[in-house]
Amino acid sequence: MSIAPLGAGDLIDRAVRLYRKDFWTFVLIAAPPVIVGTLFSIGWMLLARQFFFVGATYRPEEMWSYVIFMWLGGIVIWLTETVAVLTIMGGASRNFVRHLLFNEPITFRKTYKNTFGRLFGLILASGIIAVLLGIVGITIFYFGLFVTILIAALVFIVFSFSQVLATIVSFIFGFGVAVFMGWLFFLIAARFAYVPQVMLVEGQGVVAAIGRSMTLASGNVKRFAALFIFTTVVTYSALAILFIPLKIYAWYSGIELFFSNDVIPAWYEIANQMVGQISFILLMPVWMIGLCLLYVDERVRHEGYDIELMAARQLGEIPAVPSEFVNPLQPALSKNVAEASVRPRTSPPSSSSGSGITTLGLD
């Protein structure tokens, strides 16, 4: 595969093509954490129904208690599932770079082997990222909402002579605030985009990986935002395709989804959960592949990573230096915990193509 700087369109196009090429492998990699999260979500929902709904109808206080209970549980389950997904993405990033370096197949086994080799570090890093971005996202959202309401109030005061003009001007200002707040969120989120990749590909620790990701991610806001918007639009399109038949069937079965005191049947809520999670399983690999491509692309742009990979293919592993010296050269792909435990390094490998040993001392 050619390695060259990618624009936003090239990034999305290559991510989709790679996904289509190994569709079932990527779905299998993405499925375990999402399936486990789905089972916990369904179990939490059934538990909430047992606690708060006694008969076929509900009282308003029961409904509010049910919503709060589901909301609290949903946050914990979502956070745990997000951490698990980010952890798996880290393991997949190493497999993906090995695919670029050696044309090695992307497999379920190697992805999870890489993940378990740095499991605790990946969980810690993913937890930090999920919590920080959650706090940042909520803060930016409510601050933007406050600014929008304040601007709308001022606009209606200034243009009190024309409600139509005030509405149009308020909409324009509100759209501008939304775009600015979205850009601000992506500016912050992009700084943490490469933490799992740095840990698995470069062998860095959690703190060093966060600093390295912040340094490497400068200037990638547009492409990061384009990848996020594309994935979000496709996800909701998939949700619409699956949700519309479900809504039609529920309406045909006589289920009142709005303005009704009747308890919604459990099968409908379970089906809602399943549709959402199936869409997540199908679309999460696009996000995973896109971030890995972005990581490689940033290194190609800023560090000549394509030359580094070419040298690794042709010249073999970088020779070791005595411990009292600092080697200014770093390998294109560090040795992870699992690989180091399988075959300790005893002597520099041969770079001969017929030796049976790959470059960088990796089996």
Side-chain angles (χ1 to χ4, degrees), residues 48-337:
R49 293 175 69 91
Q50 291 293 324
F51 281 166
F52 300 105
F53 297 154
V54 178
T57 60
Y58 62 84
R59 296 186 298 273
E61 59 272 16
E62 289 178 335
M63 187 60 186
W64 280 110
S65 301
Y66 175 77
V67 169
I68 294 173
F69 188 81
M70 286 293 295
W71 182 74
L72 293 175
I75 288 179
V76 175
I77 295 172
W78 172 84
L79 181 62
T80 305
E81 186 175 338
T82 301
V83 170
V85 168
L86 291 174
T87 300
I88 300 303
M89 286 172 61
S93 66
R94 182 176 180 84
N95 199 184
F96 185 81
V97 174
R98 287 184 64 90
H99 174 69
L100 294 179
L101 183 60
F102 303 125
N103 198 26
E104 182 179 280
I106 299 173
T107 64
F108 176 90
R109 186 182 70 84
K110 289 182 179 179
T111 295
Y112 277 82
K113 180 182 177 181
N114 295 332
T115 301
F116 289 129
R118 295 291 303 274
L119 182 62
F120 294 108
L122 284 172
I123 291 176
L124 178 60
S126 301
I128 293 173
I129 294 171
V131 171
L132 284 178
L133 293 187
I135 294 174
V136 169
I138 292 173
T139 302
I140 289 177
F141 173 78
Y142 282 106
F143 179 75
L145 184 63
F146 171 77
V147 171
T148 302
I149 293 174
L150 181 61
I151 291 176
L154 292 175
V155 167
F156 273 92
I157 292 174
V158 173
F159 294 93
S160 57
F161 58 88
S162 175
Q163 295 294 320
V164 175
L165 182 60
T167 301
I168 294 174
V169 174
S170 297
F171 177 80
I172 293 173
F173 275 104
F175 180 78
V177 171
V179 171
F180 176 77
M181 292 301 170
W183 176 84
L184 183 60
F185 173 77
F186 288 128
L187 180 66
I188 298 173
R191 296 297 184 267
F192 299 92
Y194 308 135
V195 173
Q197 288 84 353
V198 171
M199 291 181 64
L200 268 293
V201 176
E202 303 179 37
Q204 302 281 358
V206 176
V207 177
I210 293 175
R212 166 75 167 153
S213 177
M214 290 183 175
T215 302
L216 194 62
S218 59
N220 73 336
V221 179
K222 291 182 180 179
R223 291 176 298 150
F224 182 82
L227 180 64
F228 179 86
I229 293 171
F230 171 79
T231 307
T232 302
V233 170
V234 174
T235 299
Y236 278 99
S237 299
L239 282 173
I241 293 173
L242 296 173
F243 266 127
I244 290 175
L246 179 62
K247 300 289 185 184
I248 293 175
Y249 180 77
W251 173 80
Y252 182 77
S253 301
I255 299 174
E256 293 290 340
L257 302 178
F258 305 101
F259 309 110
S260 174
N261 289 329
D262 294 333
V263 176
I264 297 176
W267 69 263
Y268 178 80
E269 292 196 343
I270 293 175
N272 266 329
Q273 292 276 355
M274 295 296 295
V275 167
Q277 298 300 335
I278 289 173
S279 298
F280 190 33
I281 289 175
L282 293 177
L283 274 303
M284 193 268 279
V286 178
W287 182 244
M288 177 179 68
I289 296 169
L291 285 180
C292 290
L293 285 173
L294 265 179
Y295 166 76
V296 174
D297 184 71
E298 290 295 335
R299 294 194 65 180
V300 169
R301 289 170 179 267
H302 298 141
E303 302 173 350
Y305 193 50
D306 50 343
I307 307 301
E308 191 176 348
L309 294 179
M310 185 187 304
R313 291 192 189 101
Q314 300 297 324
L315 303 177
E317 186 176 8
I318 296 173
V321 298
S323 58
E324 61 267 22
F325 297 99
V326 176
N327 192 344
L329 303 176
Q330 297 297 326
L333 184 65
S334 69
K335 182 174 292 185
N336 67 2
V337 175

